[in-house]
Amino acid sequence: MAALALPAAALPAPTARAGTSAASAPRQTPDAARLVQWITSSRDNQAQPFAIIDKRNARLMVYDAGGRLRGSAPVLLGLARGDDTVPGIGEKPLSQVKPSERTTPAGRFVAEHGTNLRKEDILWIDYDAAVSMHPVLTTNAKERRLHRLATPGVADNRISYGCVNVPKAFFSNVVLKTLSTERPLIYVLPETRSLTATFPGLAATRVAGTRAGLASAAPPSSRKQ
């Protein structure tokens, strides 16, 4: 949410799971790998760098325009499971946002660079819904957000109002440097919907590829019909 993009008081930062290079990044999940293959083969990213947020695994992966992985890092996500935003939630004060409404939406987003109230860099994922990607917040020590990022599991990575919290160094050194074009793409994998329902173009490409494969495998007489 927009109001969450506030600077944080400094807390000791754990080093575990702070982010990885492309060479040492965790193996992609099948859904993430399938999405990358479709993005690059169909040029859905329109020659722009892009990022994939895997909500089920609380992981951010950043790619250059050619689909080469530049880095991966754990992230914090919306408290509630779900792939849609509540209509008008971007206009609600945080105090009126119910726990069940604190979702990180799934889908394809054309991101926009922006700043928070302290003029610090953020990346808007969905401006109207007030969902952005920004360095991890530590304004509320009770939430232990740095600790949540450092733990090996993902169950405690759900805490935000919908925004994506990223390790600070990774945000500065990988996110901002790689996604430096005017309007990079952000793909957020679903957790309650199917992959093809979230990205219809992927389903269409798969159907077309299957038909082409069947045609090429058919006997010559069948192909002529």
Side-chain angles (χ1 to χ4, degrees):
M1 308 294 289
L4 288 181
L6 294 172
L11 289 177
T15 57
R17 300 181 72 219
T20 60
S21 65
S24 60
R27 187 174 181 179
Q28 291 176 337
T29 62
D31 278 354
R34 182 180 171 193
L35 190 62
V36 171
Q37 194 279 329
W38 168 69
I39 291 169
T40 54
S41 63
S42 68
R43 297 189 176 92
D44 186 76
N45 60 317
Q46 301 176 346
Q48 298 294 312
F50 62 94
I52 291 177
I53 298 170
D54 185 341
K55 289 199 290 180
R56 290 174 179 165
N57 293 284
R59 198 88 197 170
L60 166 67
M61 293 153 284
V62 180
Y63 301 83
D64 65 17
R68 290 174 287 272
L69 181 66
R70 291 308 183 192
S72 173
V75 290
L76 302 181
L77 301 164
L79 175 68
R81 283 174 52 84
D83 295 321
D84 299 294
T85 54
V86 175
I89 195 169
E91 304 299 322
K92 278 188 175 185
L94 293 183
S95 60
Q96 295 181 16
V97 177
K98 300 175 183 177
S100 62
E101 297 175 336
R102 292 167 59 172
T103 57
T104 298
R108 177 187 187 273
F109 301 91
V110 180
E112 299 179 54
H113 290 271
T115 56
N116 61 19
L117 298 178
R118 288 284 296 272
K119 306 301 181 183
E120 296 172 330
D121 291 321
I122 65 172
L123 197 62
W124 286 109
I125 297 175
D126 186 340
Y127 183 84
D128 291 338
V131 175
S132 67
M133 183 189 299
H134 53 70
V136 60
L137 298 176
T138 55
T139 47
N140 186 346
K142 292 181 179 180
E143 292 180 337
R144 305 179 70 197
R145 294 197 181 201
L146 291 175
H147 174 78
R148 291 169 183 270
L149 278 175
T151 59
V154 299
D156 60 349
N157 287 54
R158 311 305 291 259
I159 186 65
S160 80
Y161 280 77
C163 287
V164 179
N165 284 217
V166 183
K168 291 184 178 182
F170 189 85
F171 187 81
S172 297
N173 298 329
V174 180
V175 173
L176 291 182
K177 290 182 179 179
T178 306
L179 307 181
S180 58
T181 57
E182 186 176 351
R183 295 172 73 80
L185 277 296
I186 307 291
Y187 298 83
V188 184
L189 293 175
E191 57 186 343
T192 58
R193 292 199 304 258
S194 70
L195 192 65
T196 52
T198 305
F199 304 103
L202 189 154
T205 301
R206 187 176 185 180
V207 169
T210 301
R211 288 174 178 170
L214 290 173
S216 62
S221 58
S222 299
R223 292 205 297 267
K224 291 178 183 178
Q225 294 179 358

